[in-house]
Amino acid sequence: MGILKGKKGLVLGLANDKSIAWGVAQACQREGAELGLNYLGEPLEKRVRPLAEKVGATLVESLDVSDDAQIDAFFAKVQEKWGSLDFLVHSIAFANKDALRNPFSQTTREDFRLALDISAYSFIACAQRAAPLMTAGGSIVTMTYLGAERAVPGYNVMGVAKAALEASTRYLAQDLGQHGIRVNAISAGPIRTLAASAVGDFRKLMEKSARGSMLGRNVSQDEVGNTTAYLLSDMSSGVSGEVHYVDAGFHVGAGDPGLEG
Ligand code: NAP
């Protein structure tokens, strides 16, 4: 008996088998959930379809979260196909590469708009369409990072977007709690993925983060997937509005994220 048996849910943000969303999708499938996935436009469909088959996803549709019309169309298909929804996982972020390479003080208005729109506002936009489908209550989870609360070298405008994402998690939790919908964020330590490769000096960040972690190593997609499955399940029925760390690598000394030296 899996902890998600009988539940139907969406995992948004699967790019390839290195994605955090892949760890999440596999854990959810193993725990008995029926899954829906998205891909970002047709060129990426052929990357996502084979993975969707592996986890038996019954709904695989195109969705660019920067476009409200596409979000409406995507959730209309979810309603048509499933009628209701039990969970939503948002594992999506984007920033211009230059904004992560240049000094933070050089961030342009457009860099700021783009990072905040795709990495933070899209969470609100998806949650507001998912909530009416969660007629028996539900659970919503997003992915954040330590750069939301500390100035992590190279994370730059994405840290500002993650701070907005974490605040949005609390406000959505407050708003949707009355409908039995829980909203949480997971803050994982660094994992080598497509999105992570855009972060300046990511290799160094991983080394320092492993040194600053409790476990003395970096975490995996599978470990984030397991924590997500718990937050999506009824095992966490009293948990909402929180950021949950999956060994985020900042435990070396007070005020020291373990990133120095
Ligand atoms: P990833 O595999 O590259 O996933 C990021 C996903 O966002 C991709 O599937 C990407 O699609 C999608 N995306 C970007 N813009 C989009 C848009 N406009 N519409 C729809 N989808 C869009 O990288 P990841 O590391 O697993 O990232 C997943 C989440 O975990 C992100 O929120 C990230 O910030 C967070 N996180 C990552 C780490 C880490 O160290 N890796 C640590 C903590 C938190 P395409 O690739 O198809 O463009």
Side-chain angles (χ1 to χ4, degrees), residues 25-83:
Q26 288 179 294
C28 291
Q29 187 236 2
R30 186 195 66 224
E31 295 301 328
E34 180 175 348
L35 292 176
L37 307 172
N38 79 307
Y39 53 89
L40 179 52
E42 263 155 40
L44 300 171
E45 182 174 1
K46 58 180 179 301
R47 229 166 46 186
V48 171
R49 286 271 173 206
L51 296 174
E53 271 172 35
K54 281 191 188 171
V55 292
T58 56
L59 188 148
V60 186
E61 297 289 343
S62 178
L63 171 61
D64 179 339
V65 296
S66 66
D67 180 351
D68 280 338
Q70 288 196 34
I71 306 178
D72 284 336
F74 181 84
F75 279 92
K77 282 177 189 149
V78 175
Q79 178 159 31
E80 192 186 323
K81 174 101 185 163
W82 286 348

Side-chain angles (χ1 to χ4, degrees), residues 1 10 15 18 21 32 45-46 55 66 72 81 88 102 121 135 148 152 155 165 181 186 192 195 202 230 252:
M1 279 291 282
L10 302 169
K18 302 286 181 291
E45 182 174 1
K46 58 180 179 301
V55 292
S66 66
D72 284 336
K81 174 101 185 163
L88 166 70
N102 295 335
Y121 179 71
T135 47
V152 173
Y155 207 62
L165 183 70
I181 299 170
I186 292 178
R192 203 172 294 286
F202 190 72
Y230 152 75
V252 180

Side-chain angles (χ1 to χ4, degrees), residues 13-16 18-21 38 40 44 47 63-66 90-94 118 143-145 155 158 162 186-196 202:
L14 176 61
N16 56 36
K18 302 286 181 291
S19 295
I20 289 177
N38 79 307
L40 179 52
L44 300 171
R47 229 166 46 186
L63 171 61
D64 179 339
V65 296
S66 66
H90 172 277
S91 186
I92 288 174
F94 185 79
I118 295 178
M143 300 298 162
T144 184
Y145 178 63
Y155 207 62
M158 188 55 78
K162 292 301 190 190
I186 292 178
S187 184
I191 298 173
R192 203 172 294 286
T193 63
L194 215 55
F202 190 72

Side-chain angles (χ1 to χ4, degrees), residues 109-132:
R109 191 180 296 275
E110 178 55 15
D111 290 340
F112 188 93
R113 189 203 61 75
L114 191 64
L116 273 281
D117 182 16
I118 295 178
S119 315
Y121 179 71
S122 71
F123 182 49
I124 304 169
C126 291
Q128 75 188 211
R129 270 88 168 180

